[in-house]
Amino acid sequence: MPNTVNILLTHCPHFFGYPRLGIDLTLAGDIHGGGQLSLDFIHRGLNLNSLIGVPYIRGWYEKGGAQLYMNRGIGITGFPIRLGARPEITVLELSRS
């Protein structure tokens, strides 16, 4: 919608960074902080998902005036194991600037 802030809540961040969609903020969490093995404490991009080319793992990203927040979540499917990808619950406060 024009002349308003547009927020997309989605499982996967597939639509992040497409300016023609007009999404200002995308909130997603598909990657669970890097998958079942994350060595982010050594280097932010060192995890299973980044090794297979997943561009957004955790935290804030900005691209073309849009913002994305990737949440690590509190669980995972598949093997019930998360090494180095600590669970996360995010509280965001939205305010006018």
Side-chain angles (χ1 to χ4, degrees), residues 20-31:
R20 62 185 168 84
L21 294 178
I23 306 295
D24 301 299
L25 172 62
T26 301
L27 303 173
D30 176 56
I31 307 303

Side-chain angles (χ1 to χ4, degrees), residues 63-87:
K63 183 177 183 181
Q67 297 181 16
L68 164 69
Y69 186 76
M70 285 292 293
N71 181 288
R72 290 187 298 233
I74 58 171
I76 195 163
T77 57
F79 282 129
I81 197 168
R82 284 172 59 134
L83 300 174
R86 295 175 31 179

Side-chain angles (χ1 to χ4, degrees), residues 31-41 47 57-59 69-76 81-90:
I31 307 303
H32 304 280
Q36 292 158 326
L37 175 62
S38 177
L39 301 175
D40 276 352
F41 57 90
N47 56 63
I57 303 298
R58 65 164 178 82
Y69 186 76
M70 285 292 293
N71 181 288
R72 290 187 298 233
I74 58 171
I76 195 163
I81 197 168
R82 284 172 59 134
L83 300 174
R86 295 175 31 179
E88 171 186 11
I89 296 175
T90 304

Side-chain angles (χ1 to χ4, degrees), residues 7 11 13 17 24 28 34 41 44 47 52 54-55 59 61 77 79-80 84 86 91 95:
I7 300 173
H11 185 76
D24 301 299
F41 57 90
R44 180 176 186 183
N47 56 63
I52 61 171
V54 176
Y61 297 89
T77 57
F79 282 129
R86 295 175 31 179
V91 176
S95 62

